[in-house]
Amino acid sequence: MSYAYTFWFAMAGLLLGHGFVGMGVGAIVGFVLDNLRFSQRRSATPEAGGYVSPLFALLGAIAKADGRVSEAEIAIAERMMARMGLDNDARQQAIQSFNAGKQPEFDVSGPINALRQWAGLRRDHAFPLLDVVIETVLAEGNPPPEKMAILRQLAFALRVSDMELMALMAMKGYVWHGAGARGQGTAWGSGYVPPQRTTQGPDPYAVLGIARNADDRAIKRAYRKLISEHHPDRLGDLPDDMRKRAEARASEINAAYERIKAERGFK
């Protein structure tokens, strides 16, 4: 962390003729500004690799949430390690974290809080994380409520709404309407309806997070908001795998918008 403002404001207070009292006041003001600048930088640029341990711990917990870890879930974790280009040390770290997440009574709040801190205030950094987690949630098809509860707990921590989560799942060919309380466990009770795979491809309205009876102006507004949040040019120095996910998501948003425009005949 740099203390440039602390130094220069302290000097300004001294040179403006207020002596050591002015110097002290200036140093306090500068220190506050330095801390604000440091916080903004941390929010804008996540620490490289800082997501690996909490992410794979959470994936392990999701895989185990229904009582057993399937070969499909293990295969997805291995593919993720390969796509992320993890070196041997980082790979071993990911494996250890995944195994830790599988343990009975593992508390998912720890990795969720760590991922929230890693993403900072950048929701466009939160979406690639959710995209990774959704792959494990959907590894065996229609997921049980325990897995969806953890996913929604993460989404809530990352300030992503159920409507936005529905859109992310629609991009993967699933229809989910969202219901019930957030948190870990079977919060839905007997009323739980899992996301369902559709054979017709992503619903363009669901991808944009809008109702089919929305007017043209609302559709254009939803598209502009989404593409501004998901555009890969805004992602800074995210890992290549997450950048590619953002690029794919932006393509899905554009494709959905083009389909709706073609159906409705507006430009």
Side-chain angles (χ1 to χ4, degrees):
M1 175 176 170
S2 171
Y3 293 96
Y5 282 137
T6 304
F7 174 79
W8 289 114
F9 273 77
M11 290 299 100
L14 179 64
L15 295 174
L16 287 174
H18 299 290
F20 288 104
V21 173
M23 183 178 181
V25 172
I28 292 172
V29 172
F31 182 77
V32 171
L33 292 174
D34 280 325
N35 274 279
L36 286 173
R37 183 174 60 169
F38 179 69
S39 297
Q40 290 170 349
R41 285 179 176 175
R42 290 196 64 184
S43 297
T45 306
E47 180 185 356
Y51 64 95
V52 172
S53 285
L55 175 60
F56 279 91
L58 192 66
L59 297 183
I62 290 172
K64 186 66 173 181
D66 59 354
R68 61 178 291 274
V69 179
S70 70
E71 293 182 1
E73 289 163 332
I74 293 173
I76 284 179
E78 291 176 344
R79 285 199 300 271
M80 287 179 183
M81 293 178 203
R83 288 204 305 261
M84 290 176 180
L86 302 183
D87 60 25
N88 186 61
D89 290 342
R91 181 181 176 83
Q92 291 304 315
Q93 179 186 25
I95 293 172
Q96 292 174 7
S97 297
F98 187 86
N99 289 334
K102 296 189 304 181
Q103 299 307 306
E105 307 301 327
F106 179 79
D107 185 1
V108 299
S109 62
I112 286 176
N113 288 334
L115 291 173
R116 177 180 57 80
Q117 292 173 6
W118 180 82
L121 300 176
R122 296 290 299 271
R123 284 178 10 106
D124 51 343
H125 289 165
F127 287 116
L129 285 175
L130 285 168
D131 193 70
V132 171
V133 173
I134 288 172
E135 279 194 40
T136 298
V137 170
L138 300 177
E140 298 179 291
N142 303 340
E146 295 85 356
K147 294 184 179 183
M148 284 299 297
I150 298 175
L151 173 63
R152 296 180 77 205
Q153 188 175 343
L154 174 63
F156 180 75
L158 297 177
R159 302 186 301 132
V160 173
S161 69
D162 273 350
M163 183 66 72
E164 291 165 322
L165 200 55
M166 290 179 210
L168 289 174
M169 302 192 82
M171 294 179 196
K172 295 187 178 296
Y174 277 78
V175 176
W176 178 62
H177 300 291
R182 295 181 183 271
Q184 190 173 5
T186 56
W188 292 275
S190 59
Y192 173 70
V193 178
Q196 302 289 325
R197 178 178 284 280
T198 174
T199 59
Q200 301 175 345
D203 179 350
Y205 291 89
V207 169
L208 297 188
I210 53 176
R212 284 191 167 271
N213 60 359
D215 60 31
D216 294 352
R217 181 178 297 179
I219 292 170
K220 293 177 182 179
R221 185 167 57 247
Y223 167 73
R224 286 193 295 267
K225 179 178 182 294
L226 274 177
I227 205 64
S228 68
E229 290 182 341
H230 292 76
H231 200 283
D233 288 348
R234 297 188 55 195
L235 295 179
D237 60 351
L238 277 187
D240 287 342
D241 177 68
M242 292 192 178
R243 176 174 291 279
K244 290 176 181 177
R245 289 173 184 274
E247 291 171 351
R249 196 161 48 252
S251 295
E252 288 280 2
I253 293 168
N254 282 322
Y257 185 57
E258 292 300 323
R259 282 183 59 187
I260 293 174
K261 285 200 303 180
E263 290 174 4
R264 294 194 173 210
F266 69 83
K267 296 182 178 180

